[in-house]
Amino acid sequence: HSASKLSPTHYPPEPKSRSFWGYKTDYIQDPLRFLSKCALECGDIVYFRFNKCKIYFINNPDYIEQVLVTNSSHFAKPKFGQFTYKLL
């Protein structure tokens, strides 16, 4: 997947949830395993939601650099973004 090929109406692949409660249960039980599974199932860019929060998991060093450094002004970062960085 290329970050430049995504349009506002097209989302990257979403992981399958085996739980009735969705991704929360999988993430809470084992965050690293959940994110590893996302990368294996869906590739370098993964989309999922927790409640109303849209989350993009980027698993490619080049894309991460693009989002956080090279083109950082082109990407909206939520107020809780600092917390998100701590998860990484």
Side-chain angles (χ1 to χ4, degrees):
H1 300 279
S2 171
S4 63
K5 291 183 182 178
L6 299 176
S7 70
T9 57
H10 177 77
Y11 294 102
E14 192 170 349
K16 296 174 186 167
S17 176
R18 293 169 181 70
S19 168
F20 172 76
W21 301 108
Y23 312 116
K24 282 186 202 177
T25 305
D26 296 337
Y27 180 81
I28 290 169
Q29 288 177 349
D30 190 342
L32 184 57
R33 182 176 183 187
F34 171 72
L35 294 174
S36 295
K37 182 183 91 165
C38 287
L40 287 172
E41 285 182 8
C42 302
D44 291 335
I45 303 174
V46 182
Y47 168 81
F48 54 94
R49 295 177 68 125
F50 281 147
N51 295 326
K52 295 180 181 181
C53 183
K54 297 175 184 176
I55 298 173
Y56 295 87
F57 172 56
I58 301 173
N59 190 44
N60 177 305
D62 294 331
Y63 296 162
I64 293 169
E65 181 179 18
Q66 231 180 6
V67 170
L68 297 179
V69 180
T70 310
N71 296 313
S72 64
S73 64
H74 294 91
F75 295 92
K77 295 168 192 77
K79 291 180 182 179
F80 67 89
Q82 291 179 346
F83 173 75
T84 305
Y85 298 137
K86 290 179 184 179
L87 290 175
L88 302 175

